[in-house]
Structure formats: C-alpha cells, structure tokens
C-alpha cells in the first residue's frame, strides 16, 4: 500500500493506484457513515483521506478519476436518515437501445400472455425523467411518509423534506383515492433552476453541482428540511406501489387519477396500439428533448392494461411490463494515455484505457473499459491514439473508435499479457464445449493469485455478501499482506491468527485502538449467523451473483437441502438434482455448472468444512410462507389453457414453488392439462398428486 508515502514522493503509477484505493475507501466510509449508526472511520481519519485525495489530484490533475471523491456533491448529512420498508419494492427498468429491442419487448409481452395475433396490446410512452425516485405514502388522503428508493426494498425516510415540495400534496384532492396508497414518481430540477442554483453556490464560494440530477438528490437528502424547502425541487407522479384497493384498470386511467388528486403528471404521456406508434413517440421526444427545460434520458413504455401488468409480473429487479428506451449515449474525443490490465475476482483480465480526463455529459471521464483483447484488436487502438469515447447513463464508459491515427514514432500494438500481471501464472483463454476460445483471458493462478484472493475476500465481506462492518478493502489488504487472512474462514479466527503470526493483539495496532478493534471483532461475531443468500453470493462462484443466490435461497429455503442438491448434481451429472436445479425459473446451466465445479474442488470442500465450523448458515425465506406450494416441486405438462407455460412457471416460482421439467419421486404436484402423456403416467405410478389446471388455479388463488 502507498499509504505511507508522502504525496510529493509518489510516482505516477503509485498515485494512480492510491487514487483508486482512496475512492474505494471513501465510498466504503460514506456507506457506513450514511447507512449505519457507527461509521468505521473517525471524522479526522475521514478528513485525512479526503485531503490526501485532493493533494494527489492537485499534483497529478490528469489522473483525477471520473468517480473522484472530490466531485462528490451535497453537504454531507451528519445524521443518517431512518429506514422505511417499501410496501411493494421499487423496481428498476430494463433497457432497450434499438428499435429492434422495442419490437422484442412487445413480442415478449405477447408471448408471455399467450395473446392471439390479432389482439391489440396498448402500450404507453412517456419521458424517462433524469432525477431520483420518491415514494409517498398516503393514508386516508393524508401524506404520512416519504422515502427514497434505497436498495429498492428499503429506502431512506425523507418525509420532512418531501413535505416541503410544492408538487407534493400534503392532502389528496378529489375523490376515489384508496384508503392507503404509495404514490411514486421522480424528483427533479429544471435546467433553469439548476443554473441559478449553481450560480448562487459559486457566488457563495461553495462547490457547484455536477448536473440537475445530483442537485435534486442533494436537495432532497438535506439534513435540514428548511434547506430542502429553498431548493427548487419538482415532482412528477408516474406510478404507485402498495394500494389498499384497486383504483383503475389501465395505466392511462391511473395517471389521470393521480392528476385529479393533485399531482403533476407529464404532458407527453400517451398510449399507442402499435410498435411503430411507440417508435414515432420516441423520435418525437428525441426532437423535443432539448426544449423541455428538464433532463430526460429516454422514453419509458408500459403495458396499459393493469391486469396484464399483474400477470406479467417481474424478473429479478425489472417488471416484465415496462422498459426504458434509452437515448443514444453522449460522446467525446480524448487521448488514450495508457492501457492497464486489471485482475478481477474470478481471474478475468480486463484492459482498462487510461484517458486524458474529459467531460462527457456532465461527468469527468478518465477511464474506459476496453473489455478484452479482441475488442482492442477490433478497434486497433494503441497508446497515444485520439479516441472517441461514449458514456451512457451509469454504464462504464466505452472506447468507440480511433480517430485518424498518426502513429509515427509511437510504440506498436498493445499486447495482452499471457501471464497474470499480479501473480505471474499463465493467463489463458478457456475453450468452450465447441472449442471456441473465450474472449476473456483468465489468470489460472486461482487461490495463489493474490489479486484474485484479495478480491474474493473483499467480495466475501462486502455489503451484498456477509456485510461485515469495519472490515473493508483496506483491512482485507492489511490482514492479507501480513499473512493473517488468506481464506474466508480466517476472518472468524482473527485474534488467534494474529497471535499465531506473531503480531500484537489488534487493539495495539496503528489505526485500530481498543474501541474499533472491539467493534470489528463484534461485527465478525455477529455474522457467525449468515443468511443463506448473502453467504452463497459471498462465495463468489462464477455466474452465482446476488440475484441467483436470492433465487436459490427463496426456492430451497434450507441451505442444507440446497447444498445437498449441488453435491448430488456434482456426483450424478444430469440426474434429478441437477434437473431440479436447472429447472428453476431464472437459473441457467452456467450457474449450475459453476456450482458443480466449485463443489468438486477439494480446496473448496476444505474451505466449506472449515467455514461451517465457524458460522451457521441461516435458512432463507420463502417469498410467501403462507403459500400452499412454498417449497414444493411442481411440474406442468400437457396444454395449459388459462395461462401460458412461462406465466404458469413464473407464478409458481413467485409463490415459492420449485418448477421442474420432469417427474421424479421428488415431485410434489403434477399439473396436467389436456394431452398429458408419459409424465402423467409416471406421476400416477409414483403416487404424485395430480391436478388439472383449474384445480391448480383454485389451489393457489388467494396465495
Ligand atoms: S416507471 C416499475 N416511469 O427510472 C417501473 N420510471 O430505471 C417503475 N424513471 O427508478 C418505474 N422516469 O426513478 C418510471 N416515467 C417514468 C420514469 C421512471 C424516470 C426512473 C425511476 C426508476 C428508474 C428505472
């Protein structure tokens, strides 16, 4: 680590690494500061990190990162906000970039609903406002709560601030509102108000906001509602969450109702019967965009009929009934100064373009991904080239092309190293079943590669995994470099391993002290009961991320049952267990293959055994525990009449059932439509419960 080197003595390479480290640390510090009651850094430590970051940036302005902490805006909030659980999660939207993507969306909707070719599917179009979403709860027509989106399930309590917005009715107007309703929409700032605010900030010697969205977010998340009240924040209502009773049959009717209750709704909101209609609405909005007076970054399409929305449901974080058609990304031209190679948690080598920093769409960009060596070859990009880059929304900036290269006297093409830059192991391109080389090169060092091990350990303790407070990237680096923590189980043996390695107890270490050492050990102990999904995600198995882990946890509920199935799949490839795993809606063969490979490695078996001596994995929760089919394995066969096969599977999974493709002694229910054949026969032989489609619908209705 470069932590001890004076800023004036840093080499450029060290400075770059140090800036990267500081971003991570300050982000982690912010997260623990805003998210929890006890931040893991003292104010002085935090300030020291920020100052060091500024000093390095002052010395090496061209190394300043697009995500630099010095660009972070908004007065820091000294009190964290309370948390509010949303009645219905606040989802994100899947993206469409091309006309074809929109066509595909419309076809997916039709297919899922099993509609006849001549059935009209009305879809609405409206601007995608570039602000931040807010959920407002009304009870008996009175505003009782306001919450930010947060992680979608739990947001921050910003009730007092939300009340100060003119566009947020404190009492609903009109009639017909449900007794209880969560109204959702976007808080934003107009371009004119943004410019005036920044002028005032500059005049007062304060830092300016980067763009209207940041200014809106900063305004809503003020500690003092009186400050929020002075910020020109606006609100458009466009959706709703939990409602005590239905209040409309279509999106159009619903939005009209929101307007009648006193909300601002968008004038450009419209409905179309054809994809061409949607596309012309999109083009129209592209043209109007510059004159709207507020930022939009695309057009949102939503299936108009609410009963269809209901049937379509969601896949992980996205509703199936809506999509965002994004505007083309913003572009800029700059110089490619270097190509670095980063090693990720799974060993993949990613070439990263270091750029002469440039502003694209209001954000300073100094890095862009080059993805892999094929991409570098395709672009024929070399150090020193002028390159066009683009940035779309929150995605990592990309290098699009080289502008007229004049390469006289410059080095030749970039060559991807065939050994890992971190551990020297061979870095290879794996072959797939068909003998085709993977585009990504991977370090084969596995657990001997310090970069991989460190990244895996960091992932294991990260927020989405075990979430161990006070154990961040910095601490992992420190413990790893001293040989104390080189595998996940070592985290739970910290004091003993510190002593065994001949170090003083943690509370005597610089930067720890008895309070923070005590807190860290307590936080570790606290995670000796680890939730199923977090634990699985934390293992960092390829293709088994957060969403997949959640799905396994909800489907299997019991960790032991899940792991037994993985081991059985490993020992009996293609057997019942493997089929059951692969049959889960949303789980692909790649995830199951990676689980089997993980479970087959002796060192992973040892690690799991050791880990399980240290911690206890808590069972997951079925999505609807009162559901009569939670935890049951269901097979559908024959022709379904009231619903499509996809819909039947999605509904069963959402009720906590496992959907399998074949009948075995593990099957609990076979739903057999007309034309059922061998599966029905097998079920009868095995004594599996058989239902007609109508009986099934009856059985799960009300769940
Ligand atoms: S509908 C379930 N409509 O986009 C669908 N979202 O990427 C809920 N957004 O978090 C969202 N304008 O903050 C919807 N007209 C609009 C929107 C909109 C902006 C934001 C919203 C959401 C994000 C999803």
């Amino acid at each position: 680590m470069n932590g001890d080197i004076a800023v004036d003595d840093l080499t450029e390479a060290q400075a770059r690494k140090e800036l990267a480290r500081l971003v991570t640390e300050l982000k982690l510090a912010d997260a623990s500061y805003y998210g929890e009651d006890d931040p893991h850094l003292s104010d002085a430590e935090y300030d020291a990190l920020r100052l060091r970051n500024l000093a390095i940036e002052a010395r090496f302005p061209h190394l300043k990162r697009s995500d630099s902490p010095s660009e972070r805006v908004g007065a820091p909030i000294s009190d964290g906000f309370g948390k509010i659980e949303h009645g219905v999660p606040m989802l994100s939207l899947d993206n469409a970039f091309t006309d074809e993507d929109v066509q595909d969306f419309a076809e997916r909707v039709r297919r899922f609903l099993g509609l006849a070719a001549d059935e009209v599917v009305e879809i609405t179009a409206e601007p995608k406002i570039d602000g931040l979403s807010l959920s407002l709860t009304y009870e008996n027509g009175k505003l009782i709560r306001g919450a930010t989106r947060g992680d979608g399930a739990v947001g921050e309590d910003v009730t007092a601030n939300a009340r100060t917005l003119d566009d947020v009715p404190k009492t609903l107007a009109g009639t017909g509102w449900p007794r209880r309703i969560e109204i959702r929409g976007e808080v934003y700032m107009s371009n004119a108000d943004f410019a005036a605010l920044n002028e005032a900030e500059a005049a007062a010697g304060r830092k300016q906001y980067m763009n209207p969205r940041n200014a809106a977010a900063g305004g809503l998340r003020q500690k003092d509602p009186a400050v929020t009240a002075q910020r020109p924040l606006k609100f458009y209502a466009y959706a709703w969450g939990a409602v005590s009773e239905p209040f409309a049959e279509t999106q159009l009717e619903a939005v009209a109702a929101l307007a009648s209750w006193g909300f601002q709704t968008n004038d450009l909101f419209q409905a179309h019967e054809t994809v061409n209609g949607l596309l012309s609405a999109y083009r129209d909005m592209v043209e109007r965009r510059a004159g709207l007076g507020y930022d939009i970054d695309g057009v949102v399409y939503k299936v108009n009929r609410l009963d269809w929305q209901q049937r379509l449901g969601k896949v992980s974080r996205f509703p199936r009934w809506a999509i965002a058609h994004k505007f083309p990304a913003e572009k800029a031209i700059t110089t490619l100064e270097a190509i670095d190679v980063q090693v990720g948690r799974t060993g993949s080598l990613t070439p990263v373009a270091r750029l002469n920093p440039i502003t694209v769409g209001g954000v300073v960009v100094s890095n862009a991904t080059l993805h892999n060596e094929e991409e570098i070859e395709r672009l024929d990009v070399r150090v020193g080239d002028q390159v066009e880059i683009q940035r779309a929304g929150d995605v990592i900036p990309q290098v699009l092309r080289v502008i007229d290269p004049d390469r006289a006297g410059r080095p030749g093409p970039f060559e991807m190293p065939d050994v890992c830059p971190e551990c020297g192991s061979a870095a290879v391109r794996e072959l797939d079943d068909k003998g085709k080389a993977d585009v990504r090169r991977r370090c084969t060092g596995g657990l001997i590669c310090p970069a991989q091990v460190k990244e895996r350990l960091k992932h294991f303790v990260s927020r989405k995994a075990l979430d161990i407070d006070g154990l961040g990237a910095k601490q992992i680096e420190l413990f790893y470099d001293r040989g104390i923590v080189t595998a996940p189980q070592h985290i739970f043996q910290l004091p003993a391993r510190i002593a065994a390695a001949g170090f003083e107890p943690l509370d005597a270490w610089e930067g720890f002290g008895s309070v923070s050492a005590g807190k860290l050990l307590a936080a570790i102990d606290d995670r000796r009961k680890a939730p199923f999904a977090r634990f699985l995600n934390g293992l960092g198995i390829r293709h088994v991320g957060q969403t997949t882990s959640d799905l396994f946890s909800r489907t299997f509920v019991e960790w032991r049952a899940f792991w037994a199935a993985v081991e059985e799949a490993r020992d009996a490839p293609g057997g019942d267990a493997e089929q059951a795993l692969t049959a889960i809606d949303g789980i692909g063969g790649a995830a199951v293959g990676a689980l089997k490979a993980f479970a087959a490695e002796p060192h992973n078996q040892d690690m799991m055994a050791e880990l399980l001596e240290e911690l206890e994995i808590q069972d997951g929760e079925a999505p609807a525990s009162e559901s009569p089919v939670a935890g049951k394995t269901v097979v559908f066969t024959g022709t379904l009449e009231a619903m499509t096969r996809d819909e039947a599977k999605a509904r069963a999974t959402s009720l906590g059932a496992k959907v399998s493709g074949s009948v075995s002694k593990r099957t609990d229910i076979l739903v057999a439509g007309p034309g059922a054949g061998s599966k029905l026969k097998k079920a009868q032989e095995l004594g599996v419960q058989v239902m007609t489609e109508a009986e099934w619908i009856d059985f799960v209705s009300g769940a």
Side-chain angles (χ1 to χ4, degrees):
M1 222 185 317
N2 302 316
D4 302 322
I5 306 177
V7 172
D8 283 345
D9 298 337
L10 287 172
T11 64
E12 180 160 336
Q14 285 170 331
R16 182 175 286 138
K17 274 206 166 158
E18 186 67 351
L19 287 175
R21 177 182 77 87
L22 287 165
V23 172
T24 318
E25 275 191 36
L26 285 163
K27 265 194 201 150
L28 286 169
D30 281 345
S32 84
Y33 191 67
Y34 296 131
E36 289 131 18
D37 304 331
D38 52 354
H40 69 258
L41 290 183
S42 70
D43 286 356
E45 286 168 325
Y46 182 84
D47 289 342
L49 290 181
R50 281 193 86 98
L51 286 174
R52 184 168 172 83
N53 184 72
L54 280 175
I56 300 176
E57 286 178 350
R59 221 193 117 203
F60 299 97
H62 63 289
L63 294 185
K64 183 163 165 185
R65 299 166 53 104
S66 57
D67 56 353
S68 163
S70 61
E71 287 294 320
R72 211 92 47 77
V73 290
I77 307 157
S78 47
D79 283 341
F81 290 100
K83 293 185 174 168
I84 288 186
E85 187 169 351
H86 301 301
V88 164
M90 292 180 80
L91 302 179
S92 302
L93 291 170
D94 202 358
N95 290 327
F97 294 100
T98 62
D99 291 2
E100 208 182 1
D101 292 344
V102 179
Q103 185 74 46
D104 287 348
F105 163 70
E107 277 166 19
R108 266 199 311 276
V109 165
R110 278 186 171 284
R111 214 176 317 121
F112 190 93
L113 295 172
L115 300 180
D118 57 354
E119 182 116 44
V120 172
V121 180
E122 231 181 348
I123 296 179
T124 62
E126 68 199 277
K128 183 166 190 295
I129 321 287
D130 203 4
L132 73 151
S133 44
L134 176 67
S135 182
L136 300 164
T137 306
Y138 288 83
E139 232 171 52
N140 300 314
K142 299 266 179 295
L143 175 64
I144 59 159
R145 263 203 283 282
T148 62
R149 178 166 183 274
D151 64 3
V154 178
E156 291 169 315
D157 183 347
V158 290
T159 310
N161 294 352
R163 279 184 188 285
T164 69
L165 269 63
D166 287 345
D167 291 349
V168 169
K170 268 46 85 187
T171 306
L172 296 181
T175 54
W177 21 266
R179 194 183 54 73
R180 190 183 163 89
I181 182 166
E182 289 175 338
I183 302 282
R184 282 158 185 188
E186 203 82 355
V187 175
Y188 68 102
M189 197 179 282
S190 76
N191 299 133
D193 286 339
F194 168 70
L197 173 69
N198 257 357
E199 220 169 277
E201 292 286 296
R206 285 191 295 262
K207 229 178 140 7
Q208 303 203 7
Y209 288 99
M210 226 174 346
N211 52 42
R213 176 162 50 89
N214 281 315
L220 188 67
R221 299 179 76 255
Q222 288 292 325
K223 182 190 171 196
D224 181 357
V227 178
T228 303
Q230 281 158 16
R231 296 290 163 87
L233 300 178
K234 297 190 160 144
F235 179 75
Y236 271 133
Y238 52 62
W240 58 97
V243 284
S244 53
E245 52 274 335
F247 63 98
E249 291 188 350
T250 63
Q251 190 74 26
L252 280 176
E253 274 174 34
V255 171
L258 301 185
S260 77
W261 301 335
F263 291 98
Q264 299 300 318
T265 56
N266 197 286
D267 288 343
L268 298 174
F269 182 58
Q270 52 194 284
H272 292 273
E273 295 192 347
T274 63
V275 170
N276 278 339
L278 294 176
L279 295 176
S280 63
Y282 174 83
R283 295 196 221 299
D284 180 50
M285 289 191 217
V286 170
E287 274 175 26
R288 289 172 185 249
R289 184 180 184 188
L292 288 177
Y294 52 88
D295 283 355
I296 67 174
D297 58 351
V299 177
V300 182
Y301 304 131
K302 300 173 183 170
V303 170
N304 193 31
R305 269 176 61 167
L306 303 185
D307 57 336
W308 283 353
Q309 289 188 4
Q310 183 79 29
R311 281 175 58 190
L312 285 155
K314 60 176 174 144
V315 219
S316 75
R317 294 171 300 118
F318 306 131
R320 277 200 195 82
W321 47 266
I323 198 161
H325 191 176
K326 300 299 280 279
F327 291 143
E330 305 198 47
K331 299 176 186 168
I333 293 170
T334 185
T335 314
L336 173 66
E337 299 193 322
I339 299 177
D340 288 350
V341 176
Q342 285 178 347
V343 183
R345 169 163 60 83
T346 56
S348 60
L349 268 48
T350 307
V352 178
R354 304 297 179 193
L355 305 165
N356 188 12
I358 186 157
T359 306
V360 193
V363 172
V364 180
V365 171
S366 48
N367 302 315
T369 178
L370 285 164
H371 299 289
N372 54 57
E373 56 207 273
E374 281 184 10
E375 176 75 354
I376 294 181
E377 227 170 90
R378 188 183 70 78
L379 294 166
D380 184 25
V381 63
R382 303 190 195 174
V383 173
D385 285 348
Q386 289 291 103
V387 289
E388 184 176 38
I389 56 164
Q390 85 167 13
R391 180 187 153 266
D394 294 333
V395 253
I396 306 169
Q398 321 263 319
V399 174
L400 288 183
R401 63 189 178 108
V402 174
I403 314 282
D404 294 337
D406 168 18
R407 289 170 172 158
R410 290 208 267 116
F414 172 79
E415 273 189 42
M416 194 72 172
D418 54 12
V419 293
C420 169
E422 301 280 345
C423 74
S425 302
V428 301
R429 295 174 62 178
E430 291 167 6
L431 302 181
D432 69 11
D433 318 342
K434 298 185 190 86
K436 191 171 171 296
D438 190 357
V439 291
R440 276 187 178 269
R441 200 170 273 279
R442 278 175 207 280
C443 160
T444 52
L447 291 174
I448 69 138
C449 175
Q452 285 192 54
V453 176
K454 281 196 248 183
E455 292 308 311
R456 287 188 206 186
L457 288 168
K458 288 178 199 168
H459 173 73
F460 185 71
V461 300
S462 68
R463 298 204 111 208
K464 301 270 163 78
L466 282 211
D467 191 18
I468 300 180
D469 221 7
L471 191 54
K474 176 177 156 190
Q475 291 79 12
I476 290 287
E477 294 268 356
L478 186 64
F479 292 135
Y480 181 89
D481 291 343
R482 296 188 172 180
I484 294 164
V485 172
T486 56
Q489 62 272 26
H490 298 162
I491 291 165
F492 296 93
Q493 305 156 347
L494 204 53
R497 292 190 60 94
I498 288 174
F503 290 98
E504 289 178 282
L506 195 57
D507 53 13
W509 287 28
E510 205 191 305
F512 277 91
S514 64
V515 178
S516 60
K519 274 192 183 168
L520 173 58
L521 297 177
I524 293 173
D525 273 341
D526 206 44
R527 292 298 186 263
R528 287 186 192 271
K529 286 193 187 309
F532 180 154
R534 285 177 173 276
F535 179 78
L536 178 57
N537 180 27
L539 291 178
I541 300 169
R542 261 168 89 186
H543 309 294
V544 184
Q546 199 190 358
T547 309
T548 307
S549 301
D550 278 342
L551 210 50
F552 279 128
S553 158
R554 275 186 277 119
T555 312
F556 277 88
V557 181
E558 270 179 55
W559 169 264
R560 282 179 49 187
F562 166 68
W563 203 249
V566 170
E567 291 180 329
E568 194 182 323
R570 171 198 65 194
D571 299 336
D576 285 353
E578 177 155 5
Q579 287 189 19
L581 286 165
T582 325
I584 300 169
D585 205 15
I587 300 292
V592 178
L595 279 165
K596 289 191 330 188
F598 178 90
E601 285 281 351
H603 67 253
N604 288 334
Q605 293 165 5
D606 294 347
M607 177 193 82
M608 291 288 279
E610 284 188 42
L611 253 180
L612 291 178
E613 278 178 23
E614 301 294 344
L615 53 77
E616 187 188 318
I617 304 171
Q618 290 178 312
D619 290 343
E621 269 176 39
S625 47
E626 70 280 26
S627 145
V629 296
K632 302 237 159 114
T633 300
V634 181
V635 176
F636 293 94
T637 189
T639 315
L640 299 182
E641 286 163 337
M643 52 192 169
T644 62
R645 189 60 68 88
D646 279 344
E647 192 178 351
K649 278 193 197 166
R651 172 108 171 103
T653 312
S654 76
L655 292 172
K658 285 178 268 183
V659 179
S660 168
S662 64
V663 174
S664 72
K665 56 183 189 307
R666 295 159 164 271
T667 310
D668 295 299
I669 301 170
L670 177 79
V671 180
S678 61
K679 285 185 194 165
L680 177 58
K681 198 161 155 255
K682 185 156 181 205
Q684 284 161 342
E685 280 164 16
L686 291 170
V688 168
Q689 184 180 9
V690 177
M691 294 184 185
T692 64
E693 185 187 7
E695 282 167 347
W696 161 260
I697 290 173
D698 202 37
F699 188 56
V700 298
S701 69

